Amino acid sequence: FLMKVFIDIGGHHGETITEVIKKKYNFNKIYCFEPSTKCFKKLDKIAKSDKRVTICKFGLGNRNSEFELFDSGKPSASIIKSGKNNSNNIKLNLEKIKIMNASEWVKNNLSSSDINVVKINTEGSEIDILKSWINSDCMKIFYSVVVMFDIRNFPESRHLEKEVRKELKENKYFN
């Protein structure tokens, strides 16, 4: 039985999974990753209404670790500290979160015989996720990967997008 799996990395309040649970997309299993406790209530409500949805209450990255999430619950939430989230008010929206190694999760939960579609919108963490998958050969398991390169929003780290795009190209992963 061929499974059609959707992986939403950076689920926020469920904007993407609210769309992909529609019958027309025909997904058999939907995983949603969101580390911010401020988003869990809405995500849990969606999961309760659809047995295909699993909410993973942690983020993905290049290693198993804990991080501080700045602007927790907001669309701009990130583990990258920068001028835009480094205000005096930061303590109000700072949260300790768990991050799991992205390639480890893929190897333990996905099958290469399935159609695996992934969306990544993680305010800069997409770099660590993609590098984890490239370095472990996990990229081959995905039918389609949609990436928002939010690393562009962090001037001191913008160069990482070019590096990852180059690695993807060298490994023959194309748009």
Side-chain angles (χ1 to χ4, degrees):
F1 169 65
L2 181 70
M3 291 251 302
K4 196 170 170 191
V5 181
F6 188 87
I7 303 101
D8 180 11
I9 306 173
H12 195 239
H13 291 293
E15 296 88 345
T16 301
I17 57 173
T18 300
E19 181 63 27
V20 300
I21 60 175
K22 293 178 180 174
K23 286 198 188 304
K24 68 181 180 179
Y25 297 108
N26 202 27
F27 284 107
N28 304 102
K29 184 78 183 151
I30 300 164
Y31 293 99
C32 176
F33 291 86
E34 178 54 55
S36 174
T37 59
K38 294 179 180 183
C39 299
F40 293 170
K41 190 175 179 182
K42 288 182 181 176
L43 293 173
D44 287 341
K45 187 177 179 185
I46 296 167
K48 195 174 182 181
S49 72
D50 192 318
K51 64 180 179 6
R52 299 172 300 160
V53 177
T54 299
I55 307 300
C56 301
K57 295 180 177 181
F58 53 90
L60 292 177
N62 60 4
R63 66 186 187 277
N64 296 323
S65 190
E66 283 193 352
F67 286 88
E68 289 184 328
L69 181 66
F70 300 95
D71 286 344
S72 181
K74 295 183 178 180
S76 60
S78 179
I79 62 170
I80 300 171
K81 190 174 186 176
S82 75
K84 72 177 192 165
N85 63 20
N86 193 8
S87 68
N88 295 334
N89 212 7
I90 200 69
K91 297 260 186 282
L92 297 175
N93 288 315
L94 189 64
E95 179 179 0
K96 271 229 184 297
I97 60 163
K98 289 189 184 330
I99 298 289
M100 183 176 192
N101 182 297
S103 56
E104 197 175 294
W105 186 89
V106 165
K107 288 175 183 176
N108 291 330
N109 293 280
L110 299 179
S111 169
S112 58
S113 62
D114 293 333
I115 296 173
N116 298 298
V117 177
V118 65
K119 174 229 98 181
I120 307 172
N121 186 352
T122 56
E123 305 308 311
S125 292
E126 67 277 1
I127 299 300
D128 287 345
I129 294 165
L130 290 169
K131 282 188 175 214
S132 175
W133 288 345
I134 293 166
N135 295 335
S136 65
D137 231 18
C138 282
M139 283 297 291
K140 290 179 179 156
I141 205 166
F142 298 109
Y143 176 78
S144 180
V145 179
V146 176
V147 182
M148 301 347 160
F149 278 101
D150 295 320
I151 198 72
R152 296 174 186 160
N153 299 328
F154 303 94
E156 63 281 2
S157 301
R158 281 186 187 141
H159 66 281
L160 296 173
E161 177 184 354
K162 283 184 181 174
E163 289 175 20
V164 168
R165 284 183 180 273
K166 184 180 177 204
E167 284 183 63
L168 288 166
K169 191 174 182 180
E170 286 169 356
N171 285 281
K172 301 191 179 356
Y173 301 115
F174 300 100
N175 285 348

